[in-house]
Amino acid sequence: MLGAIIGDICGSVYEFDNCKDYEKIELFRQDCTFTDDTVMTVAVAQALMDAEYIRKFHGTWGEAFERLLIKSMRYFGELFPNAGYGGRFAAWLRTYAPEAYGSYGNGSAMRVSPVGWLFDELEATLKAAEHSARVTHDHPEGIKGAKAVAGAVYLARKGCSKDDIRKFAEELGYRLDFTIDEIRASYLHDETCQNSVPQALECFLESTGFEQCIRLTLSLGGDCDTTAAMSGAIAEAFYGIPDRMSEKALAMLPPPLLVQCERFIARAAACGQGVSSEQ
């Protein structure tokens, strides 16, 4: 999940001021900050960990996770009300009885990366991704986007090849018949899963390392903090993260987010699924 947070932070200054010149992309500018992508990623991580405990006493895992996820997202949304939420999601955070609203926005895909770390089977990962999406984004495309990112993270951390990950995404229904150079000039801001998840996947597939993946994604433009959160999440699982980038990102998180982020990293490491470092 830290790869998603780094992508979000580094992309925060370029989301509405795109820089499509790869060589001019600057990571961790002084005006960078975390946004709703980070806040909701942490919310998913907390709900995942808490659901592991709650299910021992009552209910199925999926039911427990969905209940806890709604609670967690609303809790962190209240703590960080100005993180940049979309209009419909912001209303969902405030409503008395929140219900899914048929969204196919990329919010379901940008927050899902923790799901890719805590399961031993792809089928379980995809089911958990569906649960994570459908509390808000219950449109088939919203669910597919969450499955694509979580599944790619799972496959990457299990040592699968990029060809395997490409095949997985294509079998879900995404067409990856383009290159980033081919679409960069015409690519515009798009917050749908349909037009941001495949682009994030392709950025990862064309990358040669974690940092290069983030730079490449930001150079595509568009809703680049979110696409970088998605590609960065997969790149973390595939390459690991340079220590200097991990340290910078963690230092930018306020205590409520930092505590849960470190808790999740420790939980993943305890399962033998910890985050490695690219030196």
mmCIF file of all heavy atoms in Angstrom, residues 225-243:
data_model
loop_
_atom_site.group_PDB
_atom_site.id
_atom_site.type_symbol
_atom_site.label_atom_id
_atom_site.label_comp_id
_atom_site.label_asym_id
_atom_site.label_seq_id
_atom_site.Cartn_x
_atom_site.Cartn_y
_atom_site.Cartn_z
ATOM 1 N N ASP A 225 -2.416 11.617 -9.942
ATOM 2 C CA ASP A 225 -2.128 11.135 -8.590
ATOM 3 C C ASP A 225 -2.807 9.791 -8.362
ATOM 4 O O ASP A 225 -2.253 8.909 -7.693
ATOM 5 C CB ASP A 225 -2.553 12.156 -7.533
ATOM 6 C CG ASP A 225 -4.054 12.399 -7.490
ATOM 7 O OD1 ASP A 225 -4.700 12.342 -8.552
ATOM 8 O OD2 ASP A 225 -4.582 12.647 -6.386
ATOM 9 N N THR A 226 -3.981 9.617 -8.971
ATOM 10 C CA THR A 226 -4.699 8.351 -8.806
ATOM 11 C C THR A 226 -4.114 7.253 -9.679
ATOM 12 O O THR A 226 -3.973 6.106 -9.234
ATOM 13 C CB THR A 226 -6.194 8.555 -9.113
ATOM 14 O OG1 THR A 226 -6.722 9.498 -8.176
ATOM 15 C CG2 THR A 226 -6.960 7.248 -9.004
ATOM 16 N N THR A 227 -3.763 7.557 -10.925
ATOM 17 C CA THR A 227 -3.134 6.525 -11.750
ATOM 18 C C THR A 227 -1.784 6.118 -11.162
ATOM 19 O O THR A 227 -1.406 4.939 -11.203
ATOM 20 C CB THR A 227 -2.954 6.986 -13.212
ATOM 21 O OG1 THR A 227 -2.357 8.287 -13.242
ATOM 22 C CG2 THR A 227 -4.287 7.033 -13.943
ATOM 23 N N ALA A 228 -1.060 7.073 -10.571
ATOM 24 C CA ALA A 228 0.222 6.741 -9.944
ATOM 25 C C ALA A 228 0.020 5.944 -8.656
ATOM 26 O O ALA A 228 0.867 5.111 -8.304
ATOM 27 C CB ALA A 228 1.021 8.002 -9.653
ATOM 28 N N ALA A 229 -1.090 6.172 -7.961
ATOM 29 C CA ALA A 229 -1.402 5.346 -6.795
ATOM 30 C C ALA A 229 -1.616 3.898 -7.219
ATOM 31 O O ALA A 229 -1.156 2.963 -6.554
ATOM 32 C CB ALA A 229 -2.639 5.887 -6.075
ATOM 33 N N MET A 230 -2.297 3.703 -8.345
ATOM 34 C CA MET A 230 -2.556 2.346 -8.830
ATOM 35 C C MET A 230 -1.293 1.685 -9.360
ATOM 36 O O MET A 230 -0.956 0.556 -8.980
ATOM 37 C CB MET A 230 -3.655 2.382 -9.897
ATOM 38 C CG MET A 230 -5.014 2.796 -9.356
ATOM 39 S SD MET A 230 -6.348 2.700 -10.561
ATOM 40 C CE MET A 230 -6.082 4.180 -11.529
ATOM 41 N N SER A 231 -0.577 2.366 -10.237
ATOM 42 C CA SER A 231 0.644 1.765 -10.794
ATOM 43 C C SER A 231 1.706 1.599 -9.719
ATOM 44 O O SER A 231 2.448 0.611 -9.688
ATOM 45 C CB SER A 231 1.178 2.615 -11.951
ATOM 46 O OG SER A 231 1.665 3.868 -11.496
ATOM 47 N N GLY A 232 1.790 2.573 -8.805
ATOM 48 C CA GLY A 232 2.772 2.491 -7.734
ATOM 49 C C GLY A 232 2.517 1.326 -6.800
ATOM 50 O O GLY A 232 3.454 0.703 -6.294
ATOM 51 N N ALA A 233 1.240 1.017 -6.580
ATOM 52 C CA ALA A 233 0.898 -0.122 -5.726
ATOM 53 C C ALA A 233 1.399 -1.431 -6.326
ATOM 54 O O ALA A 233 1.920 -2.292 -5.615
ATOM 55 C CB ALA A 233 -0.616 -0.175 -5.528
ATOM 56 N N ILE A 234 1.232 -1.570 -7.630
ATOM 57 C CA ILE A 234 1.689 -2.794 -8.301
ATOM 58 C C ILE A 234 3.218 -2.824 -8.355
ATOM 59 O O ILE A 234 3.842 -3.865 -8.109
ATOM 60 C CB ILE A 234 1.095 -2.885 -9.717
ATOM 61 C CG1 ILE A 234 -0.430 -2.757 -9.676
ATOM 62 C CG2 ILE A 234 1.486 -4.202 -10.385
ATOM 63 C CD1 ILE A 234 -1.075 -2.512 -11.035
ATOM 64 N N ALA A 235 3.809 -1.668 -8.650
ATOM 65 C CA ALA A 235 5.269 -1.598 -8.732
ATOM 66 C C ALA A 235 5.921 -1.932 -7.389
ATOM 67 O O ALA A 235 6.978 -2.571 -7.341
ATOM 68 C CB ALA A 235 5.694 -0.212 -9.204
ATOM 69 N N GLU A 236 5.313 -1.506 -6.309
ATOM 70 C CA GLU A 236 5.839 -1.847 -4.983
ATOM 71 C C GLU A 236 5.953 -3.353 -4.807
ATOM 72 O O GLU A 236 6.976 -3.872 -4.341
ATOM 73 C CB GLU A 236 4.921 -1.287 -3.904
ATOM 74 C CG GLU A 236 5.269 -1.765 -2.504
ATOM 75 C CD GLU A 236 4.217 -1.414 -1.475
ATOM 76 O OE1 GLU A 236 3.120 -0.955 -1.838
ATOM 77 O OE2 GLU A 236 4.501 -1.620 -0.267
ATOM 78 N N ALA A 237 4.878 -4.051 -5.184
ATOM 79 C CA ALA A 237 4.862 -5.503 -5.006
ATOM 80 C C ALA A 237 5.840 -6.205 -5.944
ATOM 81 O O ALA A 237 6.353 -7.283 -5.620
ATOM 82 C CB ALA A 237 3.446 -6.032 -5.236
ATOM 83 N N PHE A 238 6.108 -5.605 -7.090
ATOM 84 C CA PHE A 238 6.967 -6.230 -8.098
ATOM 85 C C PHE A 238 8.441 -5.900 -7.881
ATOM 86 O O PHE A 238 9.305 -6.785 -7.966
ATOM 87 C CB PHE A 238 6.537 -5.770 -9.495
ATOM 88 C CG PHE A 238 7.148 -6.557 -10.615
ATOM 89 C CD1 PHE A 238 6.583 -7.747 -11.040
ATOM 90 C CD2 PHE A 238 8.286 -6.107 -11.271
ATOM 91 C CE1 PHE A 238 7.129 -8.483 -12.080
ATOM 92 C CE2 PHE A 238 8.853 -6.831 -12.319
ATOM 93 C CZ PHE A 238 8.265 -8.020 -12.723
ATOM 94 N N TYR A 239 8.747 -4.616 -7.594
ATOM 95 C CA TYR A 239 10.136 -4.178 -7.495
ATOM 96 C C TYR A 239 10.609 -3.956 -6.058
ATOM 97 O O TYR A 239 11.809 -4.016 -5.784
ATOM 98 C CB TYR A 239 10.336 -2.836 -8.219
ATOM 99 C CG TYR A 239 10.012 -2.809 -9.676
ATOM 100 C CD1 TYR A 239 8.933 -2.057 -10.158
ATOM 101 C CD2 TYR A 239 10.786 -3.500 -10.613
ATOM 102 C CE1 TYR A 239 8.636 -2.000 -11.511
ATOM 103 C CE2 TYR A 239 10.499 -3.453 -11.969
ATOM 104 C CZ TYR A 239 9.420 -2.692 -12.415
ATOM 105 O OH TYR A 239 9.123 -2.627 -13.762
ATOM 106 N N GLY A 240 9.684 -3.622 -5.160
ATOM 107 C CA GLY A 240 10.055 -3.046 -3.879
ATOM 108 C C GLY A 240 10.174 -1.542 -4.016
ATOM 109 O O GLY A 240 10.029 -0.990 -5.106
ATOM 110 N N ILE A 241 10.414 -0.865 -2.910
ATOM 111 C CA ILE A 241 10.480 0.598 -2.891
ATOM 112 C C ILE A 241 11.843 1.036 -2.371
ATOM 113 O O ILE A 241 12.310 0.511 -1.348
ATOM 114 C CB ILE A 241 9.381 1.195 -1.985
ATOM 115 C CG1 ILE A 241 7.994 0.733 -2.438
ATOM 116 C CG2 ILE A 241 9.454 2.713 -1.968
ATOM 117 C CD1 ILE A 241 6.876 1.196 -1.521
ATOM 118 N N PRO A 242 12.497 1.997 -3.016
ATOM 119 C CA PRO A 242 13.755 2.516 -2.470
ATOM 120 C C PRO A 242 13.537 3.074 -1.062
ATOM 121 O O PRO A 242 12.538 3.745 -0.797
ATOM 122 C CB PRO A 242 14.132 3.636 -3.454
ATOM 123 C CG PRO A 242 13.431 3.276 -4.722
ATOM 124 C CD PRO A 242 12.144 2.639 -4.309
ATOM 125 N N ASP A 243 14.452 2.810 -0.178
ATOM 126 C CA ASP A 243 14.316 3.253 1.208
ATOM 127 C C ASP A 243 14.088 4.760 1.308
ATOM 128 O O ASP A 243 13.288 5.224 2.121
ATOM 129 C CB ASP A 243 15.565 2.878 2.015
ATOM 130 C CG ASP A 243 15.661 1.379 2.271
ATOM 131 O OD1 ASP A 243 14.637 0.689 2.137
ATOM 132 O OD2 ASP A 243 16.775 0.903 2.593
#
